[in-house]
Amino acid sequence: MNCCRIIGGNLKRRFIKVPETKSTRPTTDIVKQSLFNVLIHRFQIDFSKTFVIDLFAGSGSLGIETISYGSKKVIFVDSNNKAISCIKDNLKQLEITQFAEVLNKSSERIPDKVFQESAEKFENILIFMDPPYAEKELLRSQILRFSDLFKEKRLLIITESDEEIEIEGIKHSIATSHGDTIVQAFYLNEF
């Protein structure tokens, strides 16, 4: 079984399992370190006041990283059974299940109210979207969906793709570029 490590917070240096599937592409330590530097220093996120959604979660690495930094509520979403099993094992092994909800469905099949009800108590929403690189239209549709769903909140959507994504009417900045991976931040209502 492959592993990756948690790079910061109170779980720093702990390891989590990565599912052995063809569709899972774990975020590398270098990309994750750069991403969290941007989240902490550029966007100054207070994770304890931020509701997190980890779509196409794979191992759950990004959502788990936010729990390590203090997030109190993270929803992990993946449609792959091996990924879901891996996420649940990782949460249990790290003893952080109380901060997580794991949904074994495609993100587009989950009713909006599931996300809205979880977000009610939080002023900030952070969403990670890391679908297979070929799924550009799914990525665009989910960015638009959540931008509309949380238009009254401070929303930050982080995407990983192999090319820059443009969406009319939504502010964005490229957080980092590493080889084939481009990480972008889309935001509403100034984070």
Side-chain angles (χ1 to χ4, degrees):
M1 169 103 18
N2 295 326
C3 294
C4 67
R5 68 188 174 98
I6 299 168
I7 52 124
N10 63 5
L11 299 171
K12 186 176 181 176
R13 295 190 183 97
R14 300 276 304 269
F15 285 89
I16 61 171
K17 294 186 278 186
V18 175
E20 295 176 10
T21 68
K22 291 179 182 177
S23 61
T24 302
R25 186 187 60 255
T27 303
T28 65
D29 285 356
I30 291 170
V31 172
K32 196 170 12 171
Q33 182 72 56
S34 178
L35 169 59
F36 276 82
N37 281 340
V38 168
L39 293 175
I40 292 165
H41 300 293
R42 159 67 173 87
F43 291 103
Q44 299 179 342
I45 290 183
D46 179 347
F47 289 98
S48 68
K49 295 179 180 174
T50 303
F51 167 55
V52 178
I53 303 169
D54 191 350
L55 296 180
F56 318 101
S59 65
S61 172
L62 296 175
I64 288 170
E65 196 75 42
T66 67
I67 293 171
S68 183
Y69 278 106
S71 290
K72 305 291 186 229
K73 177 69 177 182
V74 180
I75 292 181
F76 296 88
V77 178
D78 206 296
S79 60
N80 183 296
N81 291 333
K82 287 183 180 179
I84 291 296
S85 178
C86 186
I87 293 166
K88 288 179 177 179
D89 288 348
N90 286 332
L91 295 168
K92 186 175 180 182
Q93 179 245 329
L94 294 168
E95 300 177 348
I96 55 173
T97 56
Q98 69 273 26
F99 304 115
E101 182 176 349
V102 182
L103 302 177
N104 188 359
K105 287 186 178 182
S106 298
S107 62
E108 61 274 23
R109 293 178 181 251
I110 299 171
D112 291 347
K113 69 177 185 173
V114 170
F115 300 113
Q116 289 171 315
E117 288 171 0
S118 293
E120 282 178 2
K121 299 175 185 170
F122 296 91
E123 53 190 69
N124 306 319
I125 313 294
L126 171 62
I127 304 173
F128 296 108
M129 294 186 192
D130 182 15
Y133 285 165
E135 298 284 350
K136 301 289 187 297
E137 288 312 309
L138 176 59
L139 182 59
R140 284 185 182 91
S141 72
Q142 292 303 292
I143 292 169
L144 289 169
R145 172 195 183 187
F146 285 100
S147 296
D148 186 53
L149 191 62
F150 295 123
K151 62 184 172 229
E152 304 301 322
K153 299 263 189 182
R154 293 171 61 204
L155 172 67
L156 179 60
I157 299 173
I158 302 295
T159 64
E160 283 187 50
S161 185
D162 59 349
E163 65 184 50
E164 188 172 338
I165 305 293
E166 293 286 335
I167 299 190
E168 192 173 324
I170 300 177
K171 298 175 189 174
H172 76 280
S173 62
I174 296 175
T176 186
S177 178
H178 292 279
D180 291 340
T181 302
I182 296 175
V183 178
Q184 285 180 268
F186 296 85
Y187 53 94
L188 292 175
N189 303 324
E190 291 302 322
F191 219 89

